[in-house]
């Protein structure tokens, strides 16, 4: 029976990027996915690649590495992403102050960004409500992708290397380590063997090693999203992030005035549902709009809410229309997404000497998986525990 260097459980963005880095090192890789294709968070998101919003000293660099890897792959295989930047629009003076402070921090670190007037914001986002916008901060190095297309293209690129076998419809039921390596068994009783195993199971924490993955430090987040019909009336030249995103994203916690933010009753009403407004435009002109955040402890997974709540949709839609300054948006679909989020910003752990897991990356997986799994494969190359990886 073939023994792979690495078997990866789960072909979401973490598992797929881990396969990419392993293949780059010349390893033989087996990638096992329970679905006929990945259907989890990795294909339900905005596709915003936004190192700009990440914690300044750690995750921002990891996000930048993801964009570096996409740039490298693009040299031989065109991937569906573009470096079109992100615009953060302030809705009041306090948020504007945060943007100005962020610009100073970026200048000090040599990180590219520039403050924009309201008129300049309106050129990047057409339309944008001038009564909403007080000014903006533009990050030219951020990027946008269409996640399902990116995942599929990246997977094909890896398979074409000839060093990765991909098996979909393969739900891994057990993973065991013994003297001669690791063995994995799927629900149809197929056995695979590998030197190392990496479990990248997303929010499916109760399938493998629940005692380690499904802990009080892990939460599962439900997010509500929507998209519009394809439209030629809206032209977004970049990712659009708005006032409540400035108040939410880790990067802005480093700003001096962050601790003194005052929140209006309306903002509190949205924040109570974890709502902040992000917009991305697909190639066909349709907009992806969201989102809300509701958390369940991973131990309490049975209480996870699978409903799509119209009250939440209405709050998001009303705020979206206010930001763009339009009376209606032609909504096409509503959906929920779910991700796991660890209290330490990610769970990367070696369960046994050769069995490892990475999950709980939260809302930054599209931005940071390419950079983070590079570190994971480096650790495995050195035969060191994943528990030693420490990102602040
Ligand atoms: C609505 C929404 C919007 C988001 N927007 C953004 C964004 O704009 N930018 C950003 O950076 N991040 C964003 N994120 C976060 C990002 O999507 C996630 O962090 C990321 O997709 C998590 O990837 P993953 O590989 O860990 O999980 P998943 O995508 O869930 O993949 C896990 C895979 O493992 C498979 N699996 C599980 N158990 C087994 C098993 N036993 N055997 C075989 N297969 C198994 C599952 O079928 C699944 O395909 C968003 C998330 C959501 C939900």
């Amino acid at each position: 029976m073939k023994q792979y260097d690495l078997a990866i459980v789960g072909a979401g963005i973490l598992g797929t990027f881990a396969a990419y880095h392993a293949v780059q090192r010349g390893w033989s890789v087996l990638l096992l996915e329970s679905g006929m294709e990945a259907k989890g968070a990795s294909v339900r998101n905005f596709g915003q690649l936004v190192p700009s919003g990440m914690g300044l000293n750690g995750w921002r660099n990891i996000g930048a590495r993801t964009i570096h890897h996409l740039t490298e792959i693009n040299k031989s295989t065109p991937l569906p992403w573009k470096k079109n930047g992100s615009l953060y629009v302030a809705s009041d003076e306090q948020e504007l102050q945060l943007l100005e402070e962020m610009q100073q921090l970026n200048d000090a670190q040599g990180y590219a960004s520039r403050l924009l007037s309201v008129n300049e914001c309106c050129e990047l986002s057409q339309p944008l409500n001038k009564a909403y916008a007080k000014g903006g901060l533009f990050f030219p190095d951020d990027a946008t992708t269409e996640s399902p297309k990116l995942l599929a293209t990246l997977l094909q690129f890896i398979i074409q290397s000839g060093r990765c076998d991909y098996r979909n419809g393969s739900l891994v039921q057990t993973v065991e380590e013994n003297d001669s390596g690791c063995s994995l068994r799927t629900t149809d009783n197929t056995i695979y063997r590998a030197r190392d195993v990496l479990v990248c199971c997303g929010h499916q924490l109760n399938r493998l090693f629940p005692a380690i993955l499904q802990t009080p430090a892990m939460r599962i987040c439900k997010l509500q999203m929507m998209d519009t019909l394809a439209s030629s009336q809206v032209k977004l030249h970049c990712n659009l992030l708005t006032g409540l995103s400035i108040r939410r994203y880790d990067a802005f916690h480093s700003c001096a005035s962050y601790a003194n933010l005052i929140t209006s009753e309306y903002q509190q009403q949205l924040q109570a549902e974890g709502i902040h407004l992000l917009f991305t435009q697909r190639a066909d002109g349709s907009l992806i709009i969201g989102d809300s955040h509701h958390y369940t402890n991973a131990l309490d997974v049975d209480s996870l809410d699978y409903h799509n709540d119209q009250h939440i949709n209405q709050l998001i839609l009303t705020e979206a229309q206010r930001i763009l300054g339009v009376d209606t948006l032609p909504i096409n679909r509503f959906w929920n997404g779910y991700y796991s989020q660890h209290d330490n910003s990610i769970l990367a752990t070696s369960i046994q000497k050769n069995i490892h897991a990475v999950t709980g990356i939260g809302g930054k997986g599209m931005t940071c998986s390419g950079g983070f799994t590079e570190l994971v494969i480096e650790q495995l190359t050195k035969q060191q525990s994943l528990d030693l990886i420490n990102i602040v």
Side-chain angles (χ1 to χ4, degrees):
M1 185 189 296
K2 177 168 181 176
Q3 161 127 342
Y4 293 89
D5 292 323
L6 178 65
I8 299 170
V9 180
I13 193 70
L14 271 171
T16 304
F17 253 125
Y20 166 75
H21 289 298
V23 157
Q24 287 298 103
R25 286 181 181 261
W27 294 7
S28 60
V29 176
L30 172 67
L31 181 56
L32 297 165
E33 166 56 43
S34 61
M36 293 317 287
E37 56 189 32
K39 289 272 190 223
S42 302
V43 297
R44 299 186 190 197
N45 57 60
F46 293 95
Q48 296 196 347
L49 308 174
V50 282
S52 61
M54 306 291 136
L56 295 202
N57 296 319
W59 286 103
R60 195 184 252 191
N61 296 336
I62 302 280
R65 286 299 292 173
T66 299
I67 291 183
H68 164 81
H69 293 304
L70 293 175
T71 308
E72 286 302 303
I73 300 167
N74 235 19
K75 288 177 184 166
S76 59
T77 301
L79 292 177
W81 72 289
K82 54 186 175 195
K83 203 179 205 180
N84 54 352
S86 293
L87 171 64
Y88 291 73
V89 176
S91 69
D92 60 28
E93 292 304 321
Q94 297 181 82
E95 292 160 6
L96 194 57
Q97 172 74 22
L98 287 177
L99 294 186
E100 287 166 4
E101 290 169 8
M102 178 55 64
Q103 176 65 38
Q104 286 168 11
L105 291 170
N106 290 341
D107 284 345
Q109 295 196 339
Y111 196 83
S113 66
R114 62 177 186 275
L115 289 162
L116 299 187
S117 67
V118 173
N119 282 341
E120 287 171 317
C121 292
C122 291
E123 280 168 27
L124 287 175
S125 171
Q126 299 166 9
L128 179 66
N129 183 1
K130 282 193 173 177
Y132 175 89
K134 299 290 175 281
L137 185 62
F138 181 68
F139 289 81
D141 292 334
D142 283 0
T144 308
T145 187
E146 293 190 28
S147 300
K149 291 184 189 170
L150 179 74
L151 203 62
T153 318
L154 191 55
L155 186 59
Q156 280 313 310
F157 176 79
I158 297 163
I159 292 169
Q160 278 164 13
S161 73
R163 289 196 286 271
C164 177
D165 290 337
Y166 173 59
R167 300 281 178 266
N168 57 357
S170 297
L171 174 60
V172 179
Q173 205 166 28
T174 61
V175 178
E176 287 168 0
E177 181 170 340
N178 54 40
D179 292 344
S180 57
C182 300
S183 64
L184 306 91
R185 188 168 55 80
T186 57
T187 44
D188 64 359
N189 263 327
T190 307
I191 309 280
Y192 297 99
R193 297 198 56 79
R195 183 193 67 221
D196 281 281
V197 174
L198 181 65
V199 177
C200 299
C201 57
H203 77 285
Q204 309 287 349
L205 304 166
N206 54 5
R207 290 176 170 172
L208 297 168
F209 309 107
I212 289 157
L213 305 183
Q214 196 182 17
T215 68
M218 191 74 87
R219 289 178 293 162
I220 299 177
C221 183
K222 170 196 164 195
L223 302 90
Q224 289 196 197
M225 303 279 285
M226 61 190 76
D227 63 6
T228 67
L229 295 166
S231 158
S232 55
Q233 286 173 354
V234 177
K235 188 71 199 150
L236 270 189
H237 293 278
C238 57
N239 298 313
L240 178 61
L241 303 93
T242 59
L244 289 170
S245 317
I246 297 168
R247 290 167 179 265
R248 183 178 175 94
Y249 273 16
D250 283 354
F252 296 94
H253 298 186
S254 299
C255 296
S257 63
Y258 179 79
N260 306 323
L261 275 180
I262 296 165
T263 314
S264 72
E265 215 170 290
Y266 176 63
Q267 288 166 333
Q268 281 175 29
Q269 186 196 357
L270 296 179
Q271 285 176 334
E273 308 294 351
I275 291 173
H276 69 126
L277 265 285
L278 304 176
F279 301 80
T280 308
Q281 190 161 38
R282 298 191 187 100
D284 68 2
S286 61
L287 287 181
I288 305 177
I289 303 172
D291 53 5
S292 59
H293 297 76
H294 293 94
Y295 297 90
T296 302
N297 192 282
L299 287 174
D300 197 18
V301 67
D302 287 339
S303 71
L304 193 61
D305 180 8
Y306 283 94
H307 298 105
N308 186 267
D309 185 336
Q310 278 306 322
H311 168 65
I312 303 290
N313 290 336
Q314 199 51 52
L315 287 174
I316 294 173
L317 189 54
T318 304
E319 179 67 346
Q321 289 170 179
R322 183 174 85 92
I323 290 168
L324 298 181
V326 296
D327 292 334
T328 56
L329 282 165
I331 297 303
N332 184 27
R333 298 171 301 186
F334 298 101
W335 70 92
N336 296 347
Y338 298 87
Y339 57 64
S340 56
Q341 179 165 338
H342 194 266
D343 286 351
N344 294 341
S345 76
I346 195 163
L347 177 66
T349 186
S350 293
I351 296 165
Q352 294 181 35
K353 185 164 172 289
N354 294 92
I355 301 178
H356 322 271
V358 179
T359 185
I361 195 167
K364 57 188 177 302
M366 296 311 295
T367 305
C368 295
S369 290
F372 190 78
T373 52
E374 180 182 19
L375 301 179
V376 167
I377 299 302
E378 265 171 34
Q379 285 297 100
L380 298 191
T381 305
K382 292 187 273 182
Q383 296 186 308
Q384 288 187 353
S385 166
L386 297 193
D387 297 85
L388 298 175
I389 302 176
N390 184 23
I391 314 287
V392 284

